[in-house]
């Protein structure tokens, strides 16, 4: 009796090994990409909620050491939270007021210098090697004016959109303050509530990983703040020595831009160089460019490796991709928040994969503030608050 080979279904061994491995990797890759896409879409739709919460989390990481300091000096947590919030708002409001007033006071001089620079450029175009006629320049200016008039409706609608954006920004700022107050006051309780959804077996590891990610976030915010101060002082002193107008607002811009790694300080320094070129000429701009490059090199090769250390060390490619992804999902705020959140996620994943952290108690992980008393103390069960045996 003969057997028709065509009637026998194919077995696993009949599929080439390379095809099986490629298929297994392929569908897993598609699942990961689809998951990341869905997460990106959700975050994009909820950006007005996610971004304020993320900013509040960063500010909480920055201000939590101050709350912990006051608590160690016998201040109640509520009083410490109120003092830190009011003090932080006072410092931030005073700094913004100083920067804005300095910018407004220096703006007329900059506008006058800009007009003189435009006249000098026009004279060079007429009398220089290009030998343009005044009628050609006048036609060029008329075209610019006509273009602005033709797009007046678009400019008006953009202004209305900007006004609506200002209203949304105010609402988001209130949400940041509201979330920040609760993160500072009830942070440990909120975390304990969140990890209750984790099954009992891996809950201890997840708790340790979360605390390590918080410690990494605190370290990142502290180190980035120190780097931003050094960048702002270095470039600000250069601006002051070279007598470039608006030195203080430009230094503040460098400070804010330094919180976006790689790109932020470069863009802010480029703005300062352009203003120096308009206000003081090419020689001053070239000197300032050298200062900006020197400060950026100091930041990249000395400050960041020394201050950030191994706890939040990220590959430059990962930083660039994180900033680009954050920019696509949530704009400038996404670019600002991408790297610190990536640092926290990186620390949490490393903790979950580390065999050494398997035997670490959550209370032994040093974060930015003292532990709450009660069921979270070492030696007490987290669910019942009863003493552990032994």
């Amino acid at each position: 009796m003969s057997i028709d080979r065509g009637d026998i279904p194919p077995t696993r061994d009949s599929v080439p090994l390379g095809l099986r491995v490629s298929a297994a990797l392929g569908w897993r890759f598609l699942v990961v990409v689809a998951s990341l896409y869905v997460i990106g879409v959700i975050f994009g739709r909820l950006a007005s909620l996610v971004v304020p919460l993320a900013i509040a989390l960063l500010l909480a990481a920055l201000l939590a050491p101050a709350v912990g300091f006051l608590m160690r000096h016998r201040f109640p947590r509520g009083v410490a939270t109120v003092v830190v919030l009011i003090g932080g708002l006072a410092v931030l409001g005073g700094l913004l007021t100083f920067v804005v007033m300095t910018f407004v006071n220096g703006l007329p001089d900059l506008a006058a210098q800009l007009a003189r620079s435009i006249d000098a450029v026009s004279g060079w175009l007429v009398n220089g090697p290009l030998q343009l006629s005044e009628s050609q320049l006048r036609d060029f200016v008329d075209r610019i004016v006509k273009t602005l008039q033709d797009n007046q409706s678009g400019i008006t609608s953009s202004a209305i959109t900007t006004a609506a954006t200002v209203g949304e920004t105010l609402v988001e700022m209130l949400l940041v303050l509201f979330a920040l107050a609760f993160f500072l006051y009830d942070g440990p309780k909120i975390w304990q509530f969140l990890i209750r959804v984790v099954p009992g077996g891996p809950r201890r590891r997840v708790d340790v990983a979360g605390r390590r990610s918080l410690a990494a976030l605190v370290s990142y915010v502290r180190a980035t703040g120190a780097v931003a101060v050094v960048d702002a002082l270095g470039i600000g002193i250069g601006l002051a020595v070279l007598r470039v107008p608006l030195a203080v607002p430009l230094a503040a811009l460098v400070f804010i831009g330094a919180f976006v790694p790689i790109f932020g300080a470069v863009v802010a320094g480029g703005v300062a160089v352009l203003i120096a070129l308009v206000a003081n000429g090419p020689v001053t701009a070239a000197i300032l460019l050298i200062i900006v490059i020197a400060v950026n090199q100091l930041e990249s090769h000395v400050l960041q490796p020394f201050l950030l250390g191994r706890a939040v060390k990220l590959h430059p490619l990962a930083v660039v991709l994180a900033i680009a992804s954050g920019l696509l999902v949530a704009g400038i705020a996404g670019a600002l928040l991408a790297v610190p959140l990536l640092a926290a996620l990186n620390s949490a994943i490393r903790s979950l994969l580390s065999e050494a952290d398997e035997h670490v108690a959550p209370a032994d992980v040093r974060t930015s503030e003292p532990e709450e008393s009660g069921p979270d103390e070492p030696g007490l069960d987290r669910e019942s608050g009863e003493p552990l045996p032994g």
Side-chain angles (χ1 to χ4, degrees), residues 318-337:
V319 172
V320 172
L321 293 178
I323 294 174
S325 301
L327 191 62
L328 291 176
V329 173
I332 297 177
L336 181 67
L337 299 172

Side-chain angles (χ1 to χ4, degrees), residues 83-331:
V83 170
V84 170
L85 276 179
I86 295 177
L89 289 178
V91 172
L92 180 61
L95 181 61
L96 289 178
T97 302
F98 176 72
V99 170
V100 170
M101 293 302 297
T102 306
F103 182 82
V104 171
N105 293 333
L107 195 58
D109 294 337
L110 183 62
Q113 182 63 43
L114 180 60
R116 289 193 294 269
S117 300
I118 292 175
D119 293 338
V121 171
S122 300
W124 181 82
L125 291 175
V126 173
N127 302 319
L130 296 180
Q131 294 293 322
L132 298 179
S133 64
E134 295 184 3
S135 61
Q136 289 175 320
L137 288 177
R138 192 179 304 111
D139 292 340
F140 178 72
V141 173
D142 292 340
R143 289 177 187 173
I144 295 177
V145 173
K146 186 176 183 302
T147 301
L148 292 176
Q149 292 175 348
D150 293 341
N151 294 276
Q152 186 175 3
S153 59
I155 296 173
T156 303
S157 62
S158 299
I160 296 175
T161 304
T162 302
T165 304
V166 170
E168 295 176 359
T169 303
L170 292 177
V171 174
E172 292 176 0
M173 289 176 61
L174 292 177
L175 180 58
V176 169
L177 291 177
F178 187 77
L180 176 60
F182 280 98
F183 284 161
L184 292 176
Y185 181 72
D186 272 340
K189 294 181 180 179
I190 293 174
W191 173 244
Q192 291 300 323
F193 173 78
L194 291 177
I195 64 172
R196 287 174 186 264
V197 302
V198 180
R203 183 179 301 171
R204 178 191 180 100
R205 293 294 304 275
V206 173
D207 194 359
V208 172
R211 292 170 185 266
R212 293 228 185 263
S213 65
L214 176 60
L217 189 62
V218 172
S219 300
Y220 177 87
V221 173
R222 288 179 179 176
T224 305
V227 171
V229 169
V230 173
D231 287 350
L233 286 177
I235 297 178
I237 291 173
L239 290 169
V241 171
L242 296 174
R243 298 185 181 278
V244 177
L246 304 177
V248 174
L250 289 175
L253 180 63
V254 171
F255 175 80
I256 296 174
F259 282 89
V260 180
I262 299 177
F263 297 108
V266 174
V267 173
V271 173
V273 171
L274 288 177
I275 292 181
L277 177 63
V278 171
N280 296 66
V283 176
T284 302
I287 297 174
L288 182 60
L289 179 61
I290 295 174
I291 295 175
V292 170
I293 293 175
V295 170
N296 287 332
Q297 292 300 313
L298 176 66
E299 171 192 341
S300 301
H301 295 93
V302 178
L303 295 178
Q304 285 192 352
F306 177 74
L307 294 176
L308 292 180
R310 299 179 60 184
V312 291
K313 187 176 182 181
L314 297 173
H315 194 278
L317 179 59
V319 172
V320 172
L321 293 178
I323 294 174
S325 301
L327 191 62
L328 291 176
V329 173

